[in-house]
Amino acid sequence: MIGKISHGNSFGGCLDYLTRVKQDKLPLDKRVWSILDSDGARLEIGTEGWRKMAASDIKRPTLTRNKIKNPCGHISLGFSPEDAPRMTDEFMLEIAREYMDKMGIADTPFVIVRHTDKEHPHCHIMFSRVDYKGKIIKPVTNFNRNRAVCADITKRHHLTMGNDSLNLDAAKLRGSERSRVEIIQAATEVLNDKSINEWKLFRNALAQRGIDAYGIFEGEDDDKKLKSIIYKKGRHSFVASKIGKRFTQTPTIQRVQKSQGGGNSAIHGNHSRPE
C-alpha cells in the first residue's frame, strides 16, 4: 500500500478529476469512478451543478478563518495488483477510513472515490484541510508519518508492501538506482498496454524505451517455459525478482513464440538460457 499526498487550491478542479467530468456522457457501466463514502458534502450526482455544490460544501470550513496555502487535501491510496482479489469496495473503504484516522483527517468534510482505470486498485480521498472547528489539519503534510501509517496498515492487514518508484523523478537519481527506477517505470507502462500480449512485442516495446529484456528459459522445444527475465538499462542489469514480482512471470509475457530473437548463451544451468 502506498499513500501519495497531494494538495492544492482548487476544490472544484480536484473533484472534477476524481469524478471524471469528461465521462458524464458515457453510460454508467463505462465510467471508471465510484464514490465509496463522504461526509458533509451534498452528492446529488447527475443533477446540474452537483460537482460545484459538493466542492463548495467541502471548501466551506476554510471560509471560517484566514486563508491557508493549499486548503484542498488530496491523498491517493494505491494497492498492489497482487492484492486486487481482496480489494472489494468494503475492504478498500475500511482501509481508507483507518488511514484517515491515523493521519488525523477527522471532523472535516470529505469524499472517497475509487478508480478502476488502472491495473492496481486505488482510491482518492479529497477533504478540507480546515476542520469544522476552524483548525488546520497539519499531520497530512507529514510525509514521514504517511510512510509509517502505510507500513503499519500494510503489515496489519497482510497487504503487499508498496513501491513508490512510479512516482519518483528518475532524472534526480544516479547510477544503478536510476536505471532500476527507469526500468520499473517503463516496464509498468508496457505491461499496462493490453495490446502487448507476446514476448517479442514486449521486448520491442522496452527496446523503444532504451531497455533490453532477456528471457531465462527452462526446457526445450514445446516444453520450453519462461523462468525469469533480466532487464538491462545502460551498463546496469537486474534479474526481475530484484525489481518486483510483477516483472518476472506475468500473463503478458508467458506466451513465448518459437521465432523470438536474441542470443542463446547458457545461464543458470544447462537448461536455462536468455533470449
PDB file of all heavy atoms in Angstrom, residues 124-136:
ATOM      1  N   HIS A 124      -9.090   7.662  -3.985  1.00  0.00           N
ATOM      2  CA  HIS A 124      -8.657   9.023  -3.696  1.00  0.00           C
ATOM      3  C   HIS A 124      -9.491   9.591  -2.557  1.00  0.00           C
ATOM      4  O   HIS A 124     -10.711   9.395  -2.505  1.00  0.00           O
ATOM      5  CB  HIS A 124      -8.823   9.917  -4.928  1.00  0.00           C
ATOM      6  CG  HIS A 124      -7.982   9.503  -6.093  1.00  0.00           C
ATOM      7  ND1 HIS A 124      -6.795  10.130  -6.413  1.00  0.00           N
ATOM      8  CD2 HIS A 124      -8.153   8.519  -7.015  1.00  0.00           C
ATOM      9  CE1 HIS A 124      -6.271   9.557  -7.491  1.00  0.00           C
ATOM     10  NE2 HIS A 124      -7.078   8.580  -7.870  1.00  0.00           N
ATOM     11  N   ILE A 125      -8.825  10.293  -1.660  1.00  0.00           N
ATOM     12  CA  ILE A 125      -9.502  10.963  -0.558  1.00  0.00           C
ATOM     13  C   ILE A 125      -9.346  12.466  -0.759  1.00  0.00           C
ATOM     14  O   ILE A 125      -8.230  12.986  -0.792  1.00  0.00           O
ATOM     15  CB  ILE A 125      -8.900  10.572   0.804  1.00  0.00           C
ATOM     16  CG1 ILE A 125      -8.900   9.047   0.975  1.00  0.00           C
ATOM     17  CG2 ILE A 125      -9.667  11.243   1.934  1.00  0.00           C
ATOM     18  CD1 ILE A 125      -8.110   8.577   2.185  1.00  0.00           C
ATOM     19  N   MET A 126     -10.444  13.172  -0.916  1.00  0.00           N
ATOM     20  CA  MET A 126     -10.436  14.633  -1.038  1.00  0.00           C
ATOM     21  C   MET A 126     -11.107  15.200   0.206  1.00  0.00           C
ATOM     22  O   MET A 126     -12.166  14.720   0.627  1.00  0.00           O
ATOM     23  CB  MET A 126     -11.194  15.060  -2.291  1.00  0.00           C
ATOM     24  CG  MET A 126     -11.387  16.563  -2.423  1.00  0.00           C
ATOM     25  SD  MET A 126     -12.453  16.980  -3.836  1.00  0.00           S
ATOM     26  CE  MET A 126     -12.793  18.714  -3.488  1.00  0.00           C
ATOM     27  N   PHE A 127     -10.499  16.221   0.811  1.00  0.00           N
ATOM     28  CA  PHE A 127     -11.025  16.739   2.065  1.00  0.00           C
ATOM     29  C   PHE A 127     -10.577  18.182   2.278  1.00  0.00           C
ATOM     30  O   PHE A 127      -9.678  18.692   1.589  1.00  0.00           O
ATOM     31  CB  PHE A 127     -10.537  15.883   3.237  1.00  0.00           C
ATOM     32  CG  PHE A 127      -9.029  15.789   3.329  1.00  0.00           C
ATOM     33  CD1 PHE A 127      -8.318  16.607   4.186  1.00  0.00           C
ATOM     34  CD2 PHE A 127      -8.330  14.889   2.538  1.00  0.00           C
ATOM     35  CE1 PHE A 127      -6.945  16.538   4.268  1.00  0.00           C
ATOM     36  CE2 PHE A 127      -6.946  14.800   2.602  1.00  0.00           C
ATOM     37  CZ  PHE A 127      -6.241  15.633   3.471  1.00  0.00           C
ATOM     38  N   SER A 128     -11.181  18.827   3.232  1.00  0.00           N
ATOM     39  CA  SER A 128     -10.782  20.178   3.619  1.00  0.00           C
ATOM     40  C   SER A 128      -9.682  20.077   4.669  1.00  0.00           C
ATOM     41  O   SER A 128      -9.822  19.341   5.657  1.00  0.00           O
ATOM     42  CB  SER A 128     -11.959  20.961   4.199  1.00  0.00           C
ATOM     43  OG  SER A 128     -11.515  22.160   4.821  1.00  0.00           O
ATOM     44  N   ARG A 129      -8.596  20.809   4.477  1.00  0.00           N
ATOM     45  CA  ARG A 129      -7.506  20.820   5.455  1.00  0.00           C
ATOM     46  C   ARG A 129      -7.815  21.738   6.635  1.00  0.00           C
ATOM     47  O   ARG A 129      -6.998  21.889   7.531  1.00  0.00           O
ATOM     48  CB  ARG A 129      -6.196  21.230   4.790  1.00  0.00           C
ATOM     49  CG  ARG A 129      -5.614  20.141   3.896  1.00  0.00           C
ATOM     50  CD  ARG A 129      -4.203  20.477   3.448  1.00  0.00           C
ATOM     51  NE  ARG A 129      -3.341  20.749   4.584  1.00  0.00           N
ATOM     52  CZ  ARG A 129      -2.623  21.854   4.739  1.00  0.00           C
ATOM     53  NH1 ARG A 129      -2.673  22.818   3.828  1.00  0.00           N
ATOM     54  NH2 ARG A 129      -1.853  22.018   5.801  1.00  0.00           N
ATOM     55  N   VAL A 130      -9.003  22.310   6.634  1.00  0.00           N
ATOM     56  CA  VAL A 130      -9.516  23.041   7.798  1.00  0.00           C
ATOM     57  C   VAL A 130     -10.746  22.290   8.281  1.00  0.00           C
ATOM     58  O   VAL A 130     -11.668  22.038   7.502  1.00  0.00           O
ATOM     59  CB  VAL A 130      -9.880  24.500   7.443  1.00  0.00           C
ATOM     60  CG1 VAL A 130     -10.504  25.190   8.647  1.00  0.00           C
ATOM     61  CG2 VAL A 130      -8.653  25.264   6.965  1.00  0.00           C
ATOM     62  N   ASP A 131     -10.762  21.890   9.550  1.00  0.00           N
ATOM     63  CA  ASP A 131     -11.888  21.087  10.024  1.00  0.00           C
ATOM     64  C   ASP A 131     -13.078  21.964  10.399  1.00  0.00           C
ATOM     65  O   ASP A 131     -13.051  23.186  10.273  1.00  0.00           O
ATOM     66  CB  ASP A 131     -11.452  20.180  11.191  1.00  0.00           C
ATOM     67  CG  ASP A 131     -11.093  20.958  12.460  1.00  0.00           C
ATOM     68  OD1 ASP A 131     -11.501  22.133  12.596  1.00  0.00           O
ATOM     69  OD2 ASP A 131     -10.409  20.384  13.323  1.00  0.00           O
ATOM     70  N   TYR A 132     -14.138  21.309  10.885  1.00  0.00           N
ATOM     71  CA  TYR A 132     -15.380  22.013  11.195  1.00  0.00           C
ATOM     72  C   TYR A 132     -15.206  23.064  12.294  1.00  0.00           C
ATOM     73  O   TYR A 132     -16.015  24.000  12.419  1.00  0.00           O
ATOM     74  CB  TYR A 132     -16.468  21.023  11.616  1.00  0.00           C
ATOM     75  CG  TYR A 132     -16.965  20.135  10.494  1.00  0.00           C
ATOM     76  CD1 TYR A 132     -16.964  18.753  10.622  1.00  0.00           C
ATOM     77  CD2 TYR A 132     -17.454  20.682   9.313  1.00  0.00           C
ATOM     78  CE1 TYR A 132     -17.436  17.932   9.606  1.00  0.00           C
ATOM     79  CE2 TYR A 132     -17.932  19.875   8.291  1.00  0.00           C
ATOM     80  CZ  TYR A 132     -17.913  18.489   8.440  1.00  0.00           C
ATOM     81  OH  TYR A 132     -18.378  17.687   7.425  1.00  0.00           O
ATOM     82  N   LYS A 133     -14.161  22.932  13.104  1.00  0.00           N
ATOM     83  CA  LYS A 133     -13.905  23.874  14.194  1.00  0.00           C
ATOM     84  C   LYS A 133     -12.957  24.991  13.780  1.00  0.00           C
ATOM     85  O   LYS A 133     -12.569  25.819  14.610  1.00  0.00           O
ATOM     86  CB  LYS A 133     -13.333  23.121  15.395  1.00  0.00           C
ATOM     87  CG  LYS A 133     -14.283  22.082  15.977  1.00  0.00           C
ATOM     88  CD  LYS A 133     -13.638  21.330  17.124  1.00  0.00           C
ATOM     89  CE  LYS A 133     -14.583  20.261  17.675  1.00  0.00           C
ATOM     90  NZ  LYS A 133     -13.943  19.484  18.778  1.00  0.00           N
ATOM     91  N   GLY A 134     -12.550  24.981  12.513  1.00  0.00           N
ATOM     92  CA  GLY A 134     -11.663  26.020  12.022  1.00  0.00           C
ATOM     93  C   GLY A 134     -10.192  25.750  12.259  1.00  0.00           C
ATOM     94  O   GLY A 134      -9.346  26.630  12.038  1.00  0.00           O
ATOM     95  N   LYS A 135      -9.850  24.531  12.693  1.00  0.00           N
ATOM     96  CA  LYS A 135      -8.456  24.179  12.948  1.00  0.00           C
ATOM     97  C   LYS A 135      -7.827  23.531  11.717  1.00  0.00           C
ATOM     98  O   LYS A 135      -8.484  22.761  11.001  1.00  0.00           O
ATOM     99  CB  LYS A 135      -8.357  23.223  14.137  1.00  0.00           C
ATOM    100  CG  LYS A 135      -8.807  23.841  15.459  1.00  0.00           C
ATOM    101  CD  LYS A 135      -8.648  22.847  16.593  1.00  0.00           C
ATOM    102  CE  LYS A 135      -9.072  23.469  17.923  1.00  0.00           C
ATOM    103  NZ  LYS A 135      -8.916  22.500  19.046  1.00  0.00           N
ATOM    104  N   ILE A 136      -6.545  23.843  11.487  1.00  0.00           N
ATOM    105  CA  ILE A 136      -5.819  23.268  10.341  1.00  0.00           C
ATOM    106  C   ILE A 136      -5.416  21.835  10.658  1.00  0.00           C
ATOM    107  O   ILE A 136      -4.916  21.534  11.752  1.00  0.00           O
ATOM    108  CB  ILE A 136      -4.568  24.107  10.023  1.00  0.00           C
ATOM    109  CG1 ILE A 136      -4.961  25.546   9.685  1.00  0.00           C
ATOM    110  CG2 ILE A 136      -3.795  23.486   8.868  1.00  0.00           C
ATOM    111  CD1 ILE A 136      -3.767  26.463   9.494  1.00  0.00           C
TER     112      ILE A 136
END
